[in-house]
Amino acid sequence: MIVLGIESSCDECSIAVVEDGKRILSNVIATQIELHKPYNGVVPEIASRLHTEWIVSVYEQAISESGIEPSQIDGIAVTNRPGLVGSLLVGLSFAKGLSMSLHKPFIGIDHIRAHLYAPHIEHEITYPYLGVLVSGGHTVIAKVNGFDDIDVMGTTIDDAIGEAFDKVSKHYGFGYPGGVIIDRMAKEGDAYAFNFPDASLHKGKHTYDVSYSGLKTAVINQLDKFWDGKSEKSPENIAASFQRAAVTLLTRRIKRALRDTGLTRIVAGGGVAANTLVRSELSQFKGVEVFYPSMELCTDNGAMIAAIGYQYLKQGITSSLNENASPRVTAFKRSYP
Ligand code: KG4
Ligand code: ZN
C-alpha cells in the first residue's frame, strides 16, 4: 500500500511517499526557516503563503524521487491538527484536491500522534512505552499503548519546551531556531553559572505536567537576581544554565512517569529530542531503552504522516471531504492523576 503524506502545520512544507508504513520512497522537506529568521520566529501569514507557493513543486519532487506514478498512490494522509490553521488548510485543501482527482481516500492526521509514531518507521518497537514528544509546539509525556491508543500523563501547562528555547534565544538575539543555537552555545558555557528557580514548583493540574513560562521569564527578565556575582554573565553561560534547568525539569517528570508505570522503553520525538543534554540525560537511565527517530524524522516531515496514515487507511478509516483544520489536538485519554 502506497501512502502519500503531507505535512504543512508550521514552517516545513513536506510531502513523502511511503510504502506499507515503513519503506520511505521519498521524503521532501522544504523548510522555511531562513525566511522566518529575520523575525526570530514563525510568522503565520508568511508560513501559509509560502506553503501555497511551494506545495505543488514539493509534490512533484516527492513523486519524481519516489519513482512511482500518481496513479499508484493508494491513499493520502495529511496533517489537519494541531497547528497554524492557515498553514494546515494549504495541505488539507491540496490533499482533498488530490483525493478527488485520483479517486483515492484521504485521512486527516493528528500531528502529535504522528510524531509519537515516527520512530516506528526505523525501529521495531513493541507497545506499551513512554512516549515523549518535545517540540516547539508541544510537550507531551504519555503512555502509548498503540498507534491510536495514547494515554497522556503530562503536558505543559503553558509554554512548550521548544517554545521556551525559541523565546529565550529571541530575547537575547542568539538567533532562530533557538533550540539548535542554545544547544550549540551551551557546549561552551557553564551550566551551573546561574541557578534558575525550580520550575517544578509551578504545579500543573496533573502530577506529570511541566511548566516553562516561569523559567523563561526568569531567564529573560530576572537574570541579574540569579547571578551569583562570581560567574561571568556570558551568552554561553546563560544558554548552558537555562538548558540545564529546562532539561532537568523534563527528565524529572520522565523519571517519575517511568517509575509509576513500570515502563522500560522511551520513544522520544519532536525537535527538542535532538537536544544533546536531553539525549545524554536519557541515556543514563538504568535499564531503560530509548528510541529516537533519525534527525530527518525527528522534526516535522511528511513520512511520519504517511506512516501513521497507513495504519488508519489499512483499517478502512478515512476522512470525508468536509474534514476541517484545527489549531487543537484531538482529545486524548487521561487516566493518570
Ligand atoms: O518538531 P519541530 O520541528 O516542530 C514543531 O514544533 O512541531 O520542533 C521545532 C522545535 C523548535 O522549538 C526548536 O528550537 C527545537 O525544536 N529544537 C531544539 C533542538 N533542535 C530543534 N531544541 C533544543 N535542542 C535542539 N538541539
Ligand atoms: Zn512537529
Side-chain angles (χ1 to χ4, degrees):
M1 187 172 188
I2 292 178
V3 178
L4 185 89
I6 304 174
E7 161 60 41
S8 70
S9 66
C10 192
D11 58 345
E12 260 90 34
C13 186
S14 177
I15 298 190
V17 179
V18 178
E19 190 174 5
D20 294 335
K22 276 275 182 197
R23 209 159 77 85
I24 299 176
L25 304 181
S26 66
N27 186 25
V28 178
I29 305 170
T31 180
Q32 306 176 352
I33 286 180
E34 287 302 319
L35 294 146
H36 293 284
K37 263 187 184 163
Y39 312 96
N40 278 311
V42 177
V43 183
E45 172 81 13
I46 296 177
S48 53
R49 284 173 186 274
L50 288 172
H51 284 305
T52 305
E53 281 174 30
W54 292 2
I55 199 160
V56 173
S57 53
V58 170
Y59 167 73
E60 284 169 350
Q61 194 183 333
I63 292 295
S64 122
E65 284 181 14
S66 72
I68 63 151
E69 293 297 323
S71 59
Q72 291 175 263
I73 295 171
D74 296 301
I76 299 141
V78 57
T79 308
N80 73 328
R81 63 197 189 279
L84 302 171
V85 171
S87 291
L88 288 167
L89 285 171
V90 178
L92 180 61
S93 303
F94 190 79
K96 287 183 183 178
L98 264 186
S99 167
M100 289 177 80
S101 67
L102 297 174
H103 304 288
K104 292 292 156 71
F106 87 98
I107 173 90
I109 297 290
D110 182 303
H111 187 81
I112 308 278
R113 286 174 168 81
H115 266 301
L116 288 171
Y117 187 77
H120 287 266
I121 300 173
E122 300 158 309
H123 304 280
E124 289 305 322
I125 311 169
T126 42
Y127 294 105
Y129 54 77
L130 192 76
V132 176
L133 171 60
V134 277
S135 72
H138 317 284
T139 313
V140 177
I141 298 174
K143 181 167 181 243
V144 182
N145 303 305
F147 76 92
D148 196 32
D149 181 0
I150 295 164
D151 196 349
V152 170
M153 302 181 71
T155 58
T156 177
I157 60 166
D158 39 58
D159 290 348
I161 183 168
E163 190 180 354
F165 273 91
D166 292 337
K167 286 181 177 167
V168 165
S169 182
K170 181 175 181 173
H171 174 83
Y172 286 105
F174 295 162
Y176 174 81
V180 181
I181 291 165
I182 288 180
D183 191 358
R184 196 166 52 226
M185 287 170 61
K187 294 192 174 77
E188 312 296 324
D190 173 7
Y192 294 88
F194 313 103
N195 271 317
F196 292 114
D198 190 340
S200 62
L201 293 177
H202 299 261
K203 284 231 160 33
K205 208 164 98 206
H206 301 276
T207 320
Y208 311 92
D209 282 346
V210 292
S211 158
Y212 282 104
S213 159
L215 173 63
K216 173 199 70 189
T217 309
V219 177
I220 289 176
N221 297 331
Q222 303 174 43
L223 195 61
D224 289 339
K225 253 168 84 183
F226 304 103
W227 188 24
D228 63 12
K230 288 177 281 218
S231 324
E232 195 203 333
K233 198 172 160 186
S234 70
E236 288 76 16
N237 283 353
I238 296 169
S241 304
F242 160 64
Q243 177 171 278
R244 175 176 64 89
V247 173
T248 303
L249 169 61
L250 178 75
T251 48
R252 228 185 256 161
R253 291 291 190 265
I254 295 174
K255 220 176 247 173
R256 182 187 281 176
L258 287 172
R259 186 194 64 201
D260 295 352
T261 54
L263 293 170
T264 55
R265 276 185 299 274
I266 297 175
V267 172
V272 185
N275 183 268
T276 314
L277 187 61
V278 168
R279 293 201 172 205
S280 73
E281 290 288 313
L282 295 187
S283 72
Q284 283 166 32
F285 284 12
K286 295 220 164 36
V288 176
E289 242 184 321
V290 192
F291 297 92
Y292 300 97
S294 57
M295 271 315 291
E296 188 173 272
L297 300 180
C298 212
T299 52
D300 293 352
N301 66 88
M304 67 181 187
I305 307 302
I308 192 169
Y310 162 76
Q311 295 294 344
Y312 290 105
L313 291 167
K314 149 173 114 161
Q315 292 183 19
I317 303 168
T318 60
S319 297
S320 86
L321 287 170
N322 297 326
E323 184 82 43
N324 213 333
S326 167
R328 286 179 219 295
V329 60
T330 335
F332 284 103
K333 181 161 94 184
R334 279 204 91 139
S335 42
Y336 286 85

